[in-house]
Amino acid sequence: MTAGGPAGPPPAWFSHELCFWHDPGAGSGHLPVGPGVEPLRQFAVDPDLRRAEGLVRLSGVLDRFTRHTPAPAPDADLLLVHTRAHVDRVEATSARGGDAGVYAPAGHHSAAAARLAVGACTAAVREVLAGGHRRAYCLVRPPGHHAEPDRAMGLCLFNNLAVATRVAQRNGARRVLVVDLDVHHGNGLQRVFWEDPDVCYVSLHQDGLFPPASGTAAETGSGAGAGTTVNVPLPAGTGHGGYLAAMESVVVPAARAFAPDLVLVAAGLDAGAHDPMGRMMATSRTFHSVVTSLCELADELCAGRIVLAHEGGYSAWYQPTLLLAVAAAVAGLPAPDDPFLHSLENLPGQRVAAHQRRVLDHLRTHHPLLSAAAVAS
């Protein structure tokens, strides 16, 4: 990869104005206004994404992409993953306002935005598999990786990348690698693909954050899918060095062992050092390095076919810089300037620590996919 960008057609950029209209309502954190909870601007306010896209545009990086406006996902696509009752519940809750599941608030525009989020991801997958683009990025809300087949959870209404994976499988991608960078564990993605031998789900998340007791290293899939779930529960405080070590020790060898036809990335930004929803220390340099590595893996393993979709990210001031770093990596550009970087990159936590390496060493020697790859090499 060079500073001139990836070979072939320019990468695709999918976004829709209505995704920025999804409103999780007033509250504090995930909690709605109620006893002891004063009305407060939610962390997950999606106009912040409009600001983030504005920085990518202002920087000129968005000019490196071909822009697409997605259409809403039809029921036929949603029902590849979700139950009819779940789809109906999201629609009804959005119409009246309220919680569509577990910490999953929905308002007037939420169901339409959620269908557009899925539609962006499925359209991106179809474009990439058809050869129209090699890489694609979807700037969408609401997020998706917590949503399970029969319930919404953690701000996620429909599972954007789970549906996109099923669509990919119906469009010629026999084996799909899903890498989840969100600071929270993608319980919904894990549940959907728990017994699927043709989908490898790899999650780098903060250990024990959300959902509770979800995403332990011992969770590796079952039945025909045994060994195709790889959880990397990183200790709180993991920074740049820890994330790069996780890529080198776990993600890259797992991807090579699995040999996918397509790479999908749940590109959450809430592992960023300023994010109020996590306790990690990743910087824009971290995200640029990780996404660059994933794009290079796609180049090596599956003719460059990779689709990234936005998940979490709740720092109003740092999220735009992190998104710019991701977009630059997808476009094959150098890491952008980051006015916050100097205050973050010299902290001791940016270097990989012994207790973080122990997690990676355990996975490398005990996980079925990684230990088998080590023996084969």
Side-chain angles (χ1 to χ4, degrees):
M1 186 189 303
T2 68
W13 183 278
F14 287 81
S15 64
H16 196 288
E17 175 67 20
L18 199 63
C19 285
F20 307 146
W21 291 27
H22 164 60
D23 182 7
S28 181
H30 289 306
L31 298 179
V33 176
V37 181
E38 181 181 358
L40 181 70
R41 180 182 186 271
Q42 283 274 25
F43 293 140
V45 176
D46 298 308
D48 287 342
L49 277 192
R50 187 187 289 116
R51 294 177 58 250
E53 187 176 55
L55 180 61
V56 180
R57 183 185 302 109
L58 181 67
S59 71
V61 172
L62 196 55
D63 295 337
R64 301 296 188 109
F65 290 79
T66 300
R67 300 191 65 183
H68 295 264
T69 301
D75 283 0
D77 284 356
L78 296 178
L79 295 175
L80 293 174
V81 169
H82 295 291
T83 64
R84 177 79 260 174
H86 173 76
V87 174
D88 292 344
R89 185 182 308 114
V90 169
E91 297 281 359
T93 305
S94 181
R96 67 174 183 268
D99 196 329
V102 182
Y103 302 131
H108 179 80
H109 301 289
S110 298
R115 282 183 180 267
L116 286 164
V118 177
C121 295
T122 56
V125 161
R126 289 182 170 108
E127 280 281 337
V128 166
L129 290 177
H133 300 276
R134 292 173 62 239
R135 301 177 183 176
Y137 184 86
C138 304
L139 184 65
V140 295
R141 290 291 281 179
H145 74 150
H146 293 309
E148 298 184 344
D150 54 355
R151 67 173 176 173
M153 180 185 288
L155 305 174
C156 302
L157 302 181
F158 300 134
N159 199 313
N160 307 326
L161 283 186
V163 177
T165 299
R166 291 303 187 214
V167 167
Q169 291 176 313
R170 292 182 172 224
N171 283 268
R174 188 176 67 86
R175 292 167 71 80
V176 181
L177 171 67
V178 182
V179 179
D180 193 339
L181 305 178
D182 198 277
V183 78
H184 310 99
H185 179 240
N187 57 290
L189 285 169
Q190 177 171 292
R191 180 178 167 189
V192 172
F193 303 121
W194 185 247
E195 296 183 347
D196 190 336
D198 294 323
V199 179
C200 181
Y201 174 61
V202 182
S203 177
L204 281 67
H205 54 272
Q206 183 180 321
D207 186 19
L209 182 57
F210 182 86
S214 181
T216 68
E219 298 167 22
T220 60
S222 67
T228 57
T229 293
V230 185
N231 283 308
V232 189
L234 296 167
T238 299
H240 183 76
Y243 271 90
L244 266 56
M247 289 295 299
E248 179 183 357
S249 298
V250 177
V251 179
V252 170
R256 287 174 174 158
F258 185 70
D261 302 308
L262 172 70
V263 178
L264 302 182
V265 183
L269 302 176
D270 41 10
H274 286 294
D275 203 280
M277 293 289 204
R279 295 295 180 268
M280 298 305 231
M281 297 178 63
T283 69
S284 62
R285 189 166 59 105
T286 310
F287 282 101
H288 186 273
S289 297
V290 167
V291 172
T292 295
S293 178
L294 291 171
C295 289
E296 290 174 346
L297 264 178
D299 290 343
E300 173 190 340
L301 300 174
C302 51
R305 292 186 291 267
I306 184 170
V307 174
L308 302 92
H310 184 76
E311 288 282 349
Y314 308 101
S315 171
W317 61 91
Y318 201 32
Q319 179 176 238
T321 303
L322 298 180
L323 178 64
L324 177 59
V326 170
V330 175
L333 299 172
D337 291 337
D338 178 352
F340 303 94
L341 189 59
H342 180 72
S343 65
L344 297 173
E345 66 178 353
N346 294 316
L347 296 175
Q350 295 301 347
R351 293 181 285 277
V352 63
H355 68 295
Q356 297 162 3
R357 281 207 179 275
R358 282 196 291 271
V359 176
L360 306 179
D361 290 343
H362 173 83
L363 284 165
R364 192 171 63 249
T365 56
H366 290 83
H367 191 280
L369 186 62
L370 295 169
S371 58
V375 170
S377 63

